[in-house]
Amino acid sequence: MSDKQFNFNNIDSLNIYNKIIQNFNKINIKEIKPTTKNINEYIFEGDLNILVDELVYNIFKEFNEGKNREIIKQHVLDYVNNHRIISQEICSWLSNNQNNSNSTYLLGYFNYNGIGTDPNKQKAIELYQKAAKLENRVAQLNLANMHIYGKEIDSDYDLAFELSKKLAEVECASGMNNLGYCYNNGIGTDINNDKAFELFKKAADLGNSYGINSLGCCYEEGIGTDANKQKAFELYKKAADLGNSTGMSNLGYCYYGGIGTDINEQKAFELFQEAADLGSDAAQYNLAWIYENGDGIKDMNQAIYWYKKSAEQEYEIAQNKLKELLKI
């Protein structure tokens, strides 16, 4: 479901310690030197394998909660920095230690996001595909997202549906939301709004912010359930409170149009601004529209700026509006 138009400090340190002890029990009791020359005098081979597993676990956890991709990336950078590891060195270590699906996935993630290396989305996709074949859940989730929503890859809707179905079967909330989206939009399967609603509800019940937002769309539009604008508003607010930019944009839309709540254009503007800053293409378009047409807030320079931001993400309505304004 889409927007409407117009410390990482919770890691279980005891768990990390136990894993380190288990790892050392499998090797000779002697110091193992780092495989990368200067990686860190305090980080050893066994520790690096554990750090990779912990990083991948936390990336999956945050994707499964529906966290913003840029926020997840910042948490990964914080994690690496907090462990006094230079990102270029762990990237190099990963390149030379492709011994399991987590290291394969993480090298793909680093290439996709330009961590420790220049961004290389094609290489990232190839690594995600390799890890996904090894049943790596977060790689499967990232691939499904690309095939459903992304623009970096030729969409394979059948694969998107199969990956989402596989993830939903193991209670992955993001997988459930994606599968609901497939049923709602006929991606790799026939449209089935009842199934879509059921899956969105399951994802929402598991705390996935996109599932919560999607369930709000169902209640607003009467998809697989009776329309209930008040319920939609409440769900959008819950998703927004969890930091979901799509929920923020949809909540702003409710305030602007008086959907399930009183009209409050100031709140709408603030929500569009917050969601736009987080990268929501629809919120960027809505913010630009307000700058172009809003009462007492008109600023064509800002309008064009945000139309451009939205258009750069291939948001078609923004692209058309920009062409109209700039006569290009």
Side-chain angles (χ1 to χ4, degrees), residues 12-191:
D12 186 346
S13 58
L14 179 60
N15 187 41
I16 296 176
Y17 175 78
N18 288 336
K19 286 185 178 180
I20 292 173
I21 295 301
Q22 291 166 10
N23 189 74
F24 285 167
N25 286 338
K26 297 176 184 177
I27 61 178
N28 293 329
I29 308 300
K30 63 181 181 179
E31 184 175 293
I32 301 175
K33 294 181 180 179
T35 56
T36 300
K37 185 177 179 182
N38 297 315
I39 197 158
N40 190 291
E41 62 179 305
Y42 302 106
I43 300 294
F44 305 117
E45 182 86 13
D47 299 315
L48 281 172
N49 284 316
I50 291 165
L51 291 177
V52 168
D53 289 345
E54 291 291 340
L55 258 177
V56 173
Y57 168 79
N58 282 293
I59 291 169
F60 179 67
K61 178 176 179 289
E62 294 206 326
F63 269 123
N64 210 29
E65 292 170 350
K67 293 280 175 59
N68 179 275
R69 286 192 307 178
E70 288 302 312
I71 291 174
I72 296 174
K73 178 182 174 181
Q74 187 57 54
H75 286 173
V76 169
L77 290 170
D78 290 344
Y79 186 91
V80 170
N81 291 334
N82 289 341
H83 285 80
R84 294 182 288 179
I85 301 172
I86 298 171
S87 59
Q88 289 86 348
E89 292 179 347
I90 190 171
C91 190
S92 175
W93 185 89
L94 286 168
S95 295
N96 295 315
N97 289 272
Q98 289 292 289
N99 50 10
N100 59 51
S101 70
N102 278 348
S103 59
T104 300
Y105 168 76
L106 193 60
L107 183 60
Y109 184 87
F110 278 20
N111 274 273
Y112 187 91
N113 291 280
I115 298 174
T117 185
D118 293 331
N120 188 334
K121 291 190 177 180
Q122 183 55 45
K123 184 176 180 181
I125 290 167
E126 292 169 3
L127 288 162
Y128 287 167
Q129 289 169 334
K130 181 179 177 182
K133 288 178 181 177
L134 295 171
E135 301 300 328
N136 186 282
R137 300 303 186 196
V138 67
Q140 292 172 342
L141 179 58
N142 283 182
L143 273 180
N145 287 341
M146 286 180 178
H147 283 295
I148 295 172
Y149 313 107
K151 304 173 181 70
E152 319 88 334
I153 194 170
D154 292 333
S155 293
D156 182 338
Y157 287 154
D158 289 338
L159 177 60
F161 177 79
E162 289 305 319
L163 287 173
S164 299
K165 188 171 184 290
K166 182 179 289 190
L167 290 165
E169 287 170 352
V170 294
E171 299 294 304
C172 169
S174 282
M176 291 175 183
N177 181 65
N178 283 349
L179 188 60
Y181 188 90
C182 288
Y183 278 118
N184 183 231
N185 293 277
I187 294 175
T189 187
D190 294 331
I191 290 176

Side-chain angles (χ1 to χ4, degrees), residues 6 251-259 261-269 272 289-290 293-295:
F6 184 110
L251 184 62
Y253 190 82
C254 288
Y255 277 119
Y256 199 84
I259 299 170
T261 188
D262 295 332
I263 290 175
N264 188 326
E265 293 185 4
Q266 181 59 35
K267 279 190 178 180
F269 176 82
F272 290 147
W289 190 94
I290 290 177
N293 301 286
D295 294 333

Side-chain angles (χ1 to χ4, degrees), residues 227-245:
N228 185 329
K229 307 296 186 185
Q230 178 64 34
K231 183 71 172 176
F233 171 80
E234 292 169 359
L235 287 162
Y236 291 149
K237 187 175 187 306
K238 185 175 181 181
D241 288 344
L242 290 170
N244 187 285
S245 61

